[in-house]
Amino acid sequence: MTDKEKALSIGFIEAPLNPKLDKIWKKDRTNLGNARVAGLQTDLKMNNYEYSVALTVTYVPYIVAELPSNLVLKAVGPNLLLPTMLTLWGVITTLQGVVKTYHGLLACRFFLGLCEGGVFPGLVLYLSFWYPRRQLQSRISAFFSTASLSGAFSGLLAYGIIHMDGVGNRPGWAWIFILEGLFTVLFGLSSFFTLPHSPPRARFLNEEEKEYVVARLRETGATGLDDEADKFSWREIWQTLTLPHVWMIAVAFFFDGTLIYALGYFTPSILSGLGYTTVDAQLYSVPPFATAFVVSIIVSYLSDRYGARGIVTIFSGVLATIGFAMFYASQSPHVKYGSLFMSITGAYNGAPALSTWNANNTAPYTRRATAIAIGFIMTNSGGILATWLLGTLSPAPLYTKATLTLLIFSILMIAFSVMNILYLSSQNKKKAMIRTKMSREDEDPGLGDRSAWFLYSL
């Protein structure tokens, strides 16, 4: 590597694509579950059905917001849109700590979904025009892995925060929302000053470095060959809907999303069902998520090193399959607890691999923005199923039907990943044949990922 390339590597690392964003995202996946076992459901006089409704209300505006938000991200500016959504999200999270009625909680959950919906798909899209395709998963995993790590910290925080019961005449579960919400507000406000717009407008790169970065991104297919190729186009939205690999990954997203949300929202309740006290349930949720964090860092490095997005997704599905099979087959609380190390690690490793795979294989910009949004729409559709699957459709403490469903979903995630690898491999072979018969200059411009010189990541 030349001195210039080293400088650019430092420049990329210095871009404040801060993992705290995803710690915040994950806290919303866990704080309601932690608050539930700490007394929220009892204090607001909710039954299991009403708790599932409170979770579901979040997803409707969440899903509706994802595609429009991604499509306007570049026009508005990620340095403005992402911090704005993040700050509003923190305000609403804090307000959950002062609600006194079930209907007040429903209102908060609705607006929380509206503000949160564009954050994570926007974040993946933002990362995709900062890093070359072969360097993307380790960056996306920096966010997803801190999601699992924050799941661990969320349990520890909840363990400490619930001892604040009575402070300010608020129950302990309310302080979970108030403190985590205030942190989100502060981080959102600081992001207005730290999040750069794009590589050409990054203040920490000089002009020569900016030119090199842009050229490198175009050369690797991370961005279009010119600004015209990356302009918004309704035609590109339609083109995305005709891509088979986008839909195979979208189905896998649905299965993995169901696993993530089921485990994110219900792990404390699962542990309570295994006989742990409210306090211990918070504490014992820490090790499985911490394990997922460590494995995610290792796996993302290997995925970028060898470009193995599909293999990593399959590996994640295998781990989840083993975990849910253990939980389903065993009657031992210790074995069931041990199974969470496998299922949580599998679910949380699948997400960054699928996100990277999706972003790697769609171009130009509008097509990628649409594909990423479709993936997260499917993920959150899985979240809707997860909120009803555990507790309402499948009662505690065994969650038998839910466990069997999640086991089947893990297997299906593997199956669709294998199908996608076979499809993309066949397309790469066809592109290789085309390249022997024509030069790149003879190819029609604007083909994006359908270009014979765009090789799909397997």
Side-chain angles (χ1 to χ4, degrees):
M1 178 179 284
T2 65
D3 289 340
K4 177 180 176 181
E5 290 172 324
K6 289 178 182 178
L8 263 294
S9 297
I10 294 171
F12 274 118
I13 294 167
E14 287 174 349
L17 308 175
N18 201 308
K20 289 189 181 72
L21 281 170
D22 201 61
K23 286 184 182 179
I24 293 165
W25 174 77
K26 181 59 180 69
K27 279 185 174 68
D28 181 59
R29 297 295 171 270
T30 55
N31 60 21
L32 196 65
N34 291 328
R36 182 192 192 190
V37 298
L40 174 143
Q41 186 168 346
T42 302
D43 289 354
L44 298 188
K45 299 178 175 60
M46 291 188 289
N47 55 36
N48 287 339
Y49 173 84
E50 290 171 325
Y51 178 75
S52 294
V53 170
L55 292 175
T56 304
V57 162
T58 309
Y59 291 106
V60 177
Y62 196 119
I63 290 170
V64 170
E66 287 178 307
L67 180 56
S69 176
N70 253 20
L71 293 178
V72 303
L73 182 71
K74 194 172 185 179
V76 175
N79 57 319
L80 297 177
L81 188 59
L82 290 175
T84 297
M85 291 189 292
L86 195 61
T87 303
L88 292 174
W89 172 9
V91 170
I92 298 167
T93 297
T94 304
L95 291 176
Q96 288 181 106
V98 299
V99 298
K100 296 182 179 179
T101 67
Y102 170 62
H103 291 96
L105 179 65
L106 289 182
C108 284
R109 298 302 298 178
F110 176 87
F111 288 104
L112 191 71
L114 191 62
C115 295
E116 183 183 350
V119 173
F120 206 78
L123 193 55
V124 172
L125 180 60
Y126 178 61
L127 285 165
S128 74
F129 57 76
W130 272 92
Y131 294 101
R133 293 164 67 206
R134 285 290 291 268
Q135 297 177 19
L136 188 58
Q137 183 164 340
S138 57
R139 274 71 186 189
I140 291 178
S141 284
F143 292 85
F144 271 107
S145 62
T146 52
S148 52
L149 184 62
S150 69
F153 279 121
S154 189
L156 285 172
L157 283 172
Y159 175 79
I161 291 172
I162 59 177
H163 288 92
M164 295 177 65
D165 188 57
V167 175
N169 294 319
R170 302 302 305 159
W173 60 261
W175 285 105
I176 295 175
F177 294 122
I178 293 170
L179 294 180
E180 293 184 359
L182 289 175
F183 171 80
T184 305
V185 171
L186 292 174
F187 182 75
L189 292 173
S190 69
S191 297
F192 281 106
F193 305 98
T194 60
L195 202 66
H197 180 279
S198 59
R201 293 169 62 176
R203 287 175 294 182
F204 55 85
L205 298 176
N206 62 38
E207 289 305 316
E208 184 182 4
E209 290 170 341
K210 290 175 183 178
E211 290 175 5
Y212 177 84
V213 171
V214 171
R216 180 65 177 150
L217 291 171
R218 288 175 175 172
E219 176 188 342
T220 59
T223 61
L225 294 177
D226 52 44
D227 292 336
E228 185 68 24
D230 280 336
K231 288 181 64 175
F232 174 80
S233 168
W234 288 106
R235 179 178 176 274
E236 290 299 340
I237 297 175
W238 170 251
Q239 286 288 322
T240 310
L241 302 179
T242 66
L243 297 174
H245 61 276
V246 168
W247 290 107
M248 281 186 275
I249 290 179
V251 174
F253 262 118
F254 173 78
F255 295 136
D256 194 48
T258 307
L259 308 187
I260 288 175
Y261 286 109
L263 294 167
Y265 278 129
F266 289 96
T267 292
S269 299
I270 292 169
L271 292 174
S272 293
L274 295 180
Y276 294 95
T277 64
T278 296
V279 173
D280 285 346
Q282 312 286 5
L283 198 57
Y284 277 86
S285 68
V286 173
F289 284 104
T291 301
F293 167 77
V294 174
V295 174
S296 182
I297 294 296
I298 297 170
V299 167
S300 64
Y301 168 77
L302 295 174
S303 179
D304 272 353
R305 179 74 172 81
Y306 298 103
R309 316 308 187 195
I311 296 299
V312 168
T313 307
I314 292 169
F315 170 72
S316 302
V318 169
L319 288 181
T321 299
I322 294 171
F324 290 118
M326 288 171 61
F327 194 95
Y328 181 77
S330 178
Q331 301 300 316
S332 167
H334 300 294
V335 173
K336 286 181 179 290
Y337 176 65
S339 74
L340 295 176
F341 285 81
M342 304 294 287
S343 54
I344 289 174
T345 299
Y348 281 85
N349 273 273
L354 285 169
S355 297
T356 307
W357 209 8
N358 200 20
N360 273 178
N361 289 333
T362 47
Y365 174 83
T366 303
R367 202 179 297 177
R368 181 181 301 147
T370 305
I372 290 172
I374 289 171
F376 280 96
I377 286 169
M378 295 296 285
T379 299
N380 290 294
S381 297
I384 292 177
L385 174 59
T387 61
W388 292 94
L389 194 56
L390 283 84
T392 303
L393 300 178
S394 183
L398 298 179
Y399 300 106
T400 304
K401 292 180 180 178
T403 304
L404 184 59
T405 301
L406 296 174
L407 173 60
I408 293 171
F409 279 13
S410 301
I411 296 170
L412 289 174
M413 184 171 76
I414 297 170
F416 274 86
S417 298
V418 171
M419 289 167 56
N420 198 40
I421 290 175
L422 295 175
Y423 170 76
L424 294 174
S425 180
S426 69
Q427 292 301 302
N428 281 344
K429 290 177 181 177
K430 291 178 181 179
K431 291 182 177 189
M433 292 293 294
I434 294 172
R435 291 196 300 273
T436 63
K437 299 176 182 178
M438 63 184 296
S439 67
R440 189 164 193 174
E441 290 73 22
D442 296 329
E443 186 180 63
D444 291 336
L447 291 178
D449 57 78
R450 284 177 164 161
S451 166
W453 277 262
F454 187 103
L455 294 182
Y456 290 121
S457 298
L458 303 180

